[in-house]
Amino acid sequence: MHPRIVIVGAGFAGLETALSLKSLMKRAADITVIDRNDHQSFLPSIHEVISGKVRPDQIEIALPPLLDAARIAFVQDEVHEIDTSRRKVHTALAALPFDYLVIACGAAVRFYGVPGAREFAYAFRTPEQADRIGSEVRALIEDPRRPVRILIAGGGLEGIEIAGELLDLVSEAGQAEALESRALSIELIEAAARLLPGCSERVQDFVEEYLAGRGVQLLKGSAITEVRKDALLLASGETREMSMLIWTGGIQPPEWIRNLSLARHPDGWLQVTDRLHSPDDDHIYAIGDVISFTSPEHPQTLPREAHYALDQARVSALNICYDARGYRKIGYHPPTKPQAISLGKAMGVLASDTFFSNGPWVVRLKKLVEKRHMLMYRARPYLSTLTDAVPGAEFRHLLRLLMPI
Ligand SMILES: Cc1cc2nc3c(=O)[nH]c(=O)nc-3n(C[C@H](O)[C@H](O)[C@H](O)COP(=O)(O)OP(=O)(O)OC[C@H]3O[C@@H](n4cnc5c(N)ncnc54)[C@H](O)[C@@H]3O)c2cc1C
C-alpha cells in the first residue's frame, strides 16, 4: 500500500511540501492537504493591502484547482487535534489516518495576556483583516478637522512595514500636512529599547531615523499593559489616547499545538531534529513558523520567514520520500539569508549580519519575489494540463522537470 501522507496547512511550508512530494513520489503516495481556507495568502505583502496598493485577491492562490491539477487531495477544514498514537488527524468533520504527517499550520497572533488587546486592537493574519484595517484608517482620516491618532503596537518587522504603508496611505489621501501639523499622528510603540530587536544596530539606526524623519513618533522601551476602547495604558503609568490601535505585538504557536504529545520548546513552539521530524516520532514532521529551529550552526532560533519555510518544505519532502524508500534522511542546514524590509514605496532595507543596503530597489525586489511566487503557483494547473496533453510518458516527465515548480 502507498504511504498516506497528510499535510496540515497549505501556507508556504505545507503547499510546497505537497508539490515537492508529488514530483518526487508521483503515484507512490496518497497525499492529502488540509487547510481551513481555500486559498494560500502571500503574507509578506499583506501590509500593502492596508495602504491599498494590492487587493486581497491579488495575493491569494486558489488551492482547489492547483491541488486538483497536481492530483493531490484537498480538504478544507479546521484541524483541532492530532492523535499521534492512533495516527489520526481530527478535523471538525472527519478523522484522517496517516503514515506520515507534516504539521505546517503557521503561527497565531500573540496578545501577551494584555487586557483588552484582543477586543479593542486590530490584529491581522489574513489579507481580509488587513483590508479592514485600511478601510478603518481611510474612514478616520477622511475628515481633516478631527484629530486622529493611530497607534501601532510592536516595532518588529510587521510594525515598521505597516508604519511605512500608513505613511504612503496618508500622503496618497492628501493628508501629509495633517501629519506635519500633528492633527494626525502615527505612533509606533515598542517594549524593547530599540525597534527591530534582533537586527543589527546599523539596521535599527537606519530604520528609526527614516521613520522618525517622515513623521512617525517612536515610543521605545514602553510596554503596553492595558488596552481600552479609546486609550491604552503603558507600564510607566502613562495613558495614550487613540483613534485606533494596530496590533503587531508578536506571534505564538496555535492553541491546539500545545495539547499535542510531541516535544516542544518552553515557549510552546514544536521541537524538531535536524531531519525536521519530531524527536518523539520520525514519521511526524513539523516545518515553517510553528517550529523553533536551532542547530550548532544556528544557536539562535531561525527567523520565521517564508524562504526558510520553503526550504524546510523541500527537505521534509525529500526525507519522507527517502524514508519511504528505505534510504537515509538528509539534514537541514539553513544558509543565512538577508532580510528584505520595506518602509513604504520609497525605501527598503536589505540586510544580513554582514551586509547592508537600502533604497527603493529593495521594495521592487520584494515585489518581484511576490510576482514570481504568484505566477509560478497560479500557472501550475495550466502547465499541468498542457503537459498532460503531450503524448509519451518520458517526454511529459521531461517537460515537468523543466517547469519552474
Ligand atoms: C505581516 C507579515 C509580513 C511578513 N513579511 C515577511 C517577509 O517580508 N519576508 C519573509 O520571508 N517572511 C515574511 N513573513 C513571514 C512569513 O509569511 C511566514 O514565515 C510564512 O508564512 C510561514 O509559512 P508557514 O507555511 O509556516 O505558515 P503560513 O504561511 O501562515 O501558513 C499556515 C497555513 O495553515 C493553515 N492553518 C493554520 N491552522 C490551521 C488549522 N487548525 N486547520 C487547518 N488549517 C490551518 C492556515 O490557513 C495557513 O494557510 C511575514 C509575515 C507576516 C504576518
Side-chain angles (χ1 to χ4, degrees), residues 6 15 43 55 66 86 104 107 118 132 150 160 202 231 242-243 263 298 320 366 404:
V6 173
L15 185 57
L43 293 182
R55 292 190 315 272
L66 169 56
R86 291 197 181 83
R118 198 181 282 276
R132 197 173 138 231
I150 302 170
I160 61 157
R202 191 167 178 195
M242 65 189 196
S243 312
H298 286 276
I320 291 172
K366 280 195 89 170

Side-chain angles (χ1 to χ4, degrees), residues 359-370:
W361 66 271
V362 180
V363 184
R364 290 198 283 275
L365 179 75
K366 280 195 89 170
K367 200 36 76 196
L368 267 178
V369 174
E370 173 204 302

Side-chain angles (χ1 to χ4, degrees), residues 93-392:
L93 300 173
L96 283 95
F98 65 84
D99 299 304
Y100 291 94
L101 174 69
V102 182
I103 305 174
C105 59
V109 175
R110 183 173 184 185
F111 291 101
Y112 295 90
V114 173
R118 198 181 282 276
E119 291 103 291
F120 299 121
Y122 287 80
F124 64 99
R125 290 291 295 174
T126 68
E128 288 69 25
Q129 289 164 336
D131 199 33
R132 197 173 138 231
I133 293 176
S135 304
E136 290 290 329
V137 173
R138 263 179 230 102
L140 277 173
I141 65 177
E142 222 165 47
D143 180 358
R145 289 160 306 175
R146 198 172 50 171
V148 174
R149 194 173 222 183
I150 302 170
L151 306 187
I152 304 169
L157 173 71
E158 285 175 40
I160 61 157
E161 288 200 327
I162 285 166
E165 292 307 309
L166 289 182
L167 288 170
D168 284 354
L169 190 158
V170 165
S171 83
E172 265 148 43
Q175 300 284 352
E177 272 177 31
L179 196 62
E180 278 161 31
S181 68
R182 301 273 165 121
L184 164 65
S185 69
I186 301 172
E187 289 176 49
L188 193 53
I189 304 172
E190 167 57 48
R194 304 291 312 258
L195 298 189
L196 290 172
C199 282
S200 72
E201 222 171 283
R202 191 167 178 195
V203 175
Q204 293 173 333
D205 288 347
F206 180 84
V207 168
E208 288 178 4
E209 211 171 291
Y210 182 82
L211 289 179
R214 292 200 60 202
V216 177
Q217 295 172 45
L218 309 180
L219 218 62
K220 295 176 282 179
S222 303
I224 298 171
T225 52
E226 190 182 332
V227 180
R228 296 181 183 155
K229 192 169 182 298
D230 44 19
L232 59 75
L233 264 60
L234 298 171
S236 60
E238 208 185 324
T239 304
R240 309 292 282 193
E241 286 184 7
M242 65 189 196
S243 312
M244 79 183 287
L245 172 67
I246 304 174
W247 187 268
T248 70
I251 51 174
Q252 63 181 19
E255 215 40 56
W256 62 276
I257 288 288
R258 292 170 190 270
N259 303 325
L260 298 182
S261 52
L262 294 172
R264 287 188 310 275
H265 286 270
D267 47 7
W269 303 101
L270 288 178
Q271 206 179 326
V272 289
T273 68
D274 69 336
R275 266 62 181 160
L276 296 179
H277 56 68
S278 166
D280 297 328
D281 191 324
D282 65 0
H283 278 47
I284 300 185
Y285 287 73
I287 53 173
D289 280 4
V290 74
I291 62 167
S292 210
F293 185 84
T294 53
S295 66
E297 304 117 66
H298 286 276
Q300 305 283 351
T301 298
L302 198 66
R304 294 190 173 81
E305 290 173 8
H307 48 94
Y308 289 120
L310 290 170
D311 287 350
Q312 290 162 14
R314 291 167 194 136
V315 172
S316 65
L318 209 57
N319 279 346
I320 291 172
C321 176
Y322 282 174
D323 194 65
R325 290 178 181 167
Y327 302 136
R328 271 178 50 184
K329 297 189 269 278
I330 60 161
Y332 171 57
H333 302 284
T336 306
K337 297 186 181 182
Q339 193 172 35
I341 304 167
S342 75
L343 299 166
K345 66 179 178 203
M347 184 52 72
V349 175
L350 189 71
S352 69
D353 291 344
T354 52
F355 174 84
F356 176 90
S357 187
N358 64 274
W361 66 271
V362 180
V363 184
R364 290 198 283 275
L365 179 75
K366 280 195 89 170
K367 200 36 76 196
L368 267 178
V369 174
E370 173 204 302
K371 296 273 181 223
R372 180 176 174 275
H373 183 92
M374 301 306 293
L375 183 71
M376 282 189 344
Y377 283 89
R378 279 181 173 163
R380 171 114 190 175
Y382 307 104
L383 293 174
S384 301
T385 313
L386 271 181
T387 51
D388 285 351
V390 173

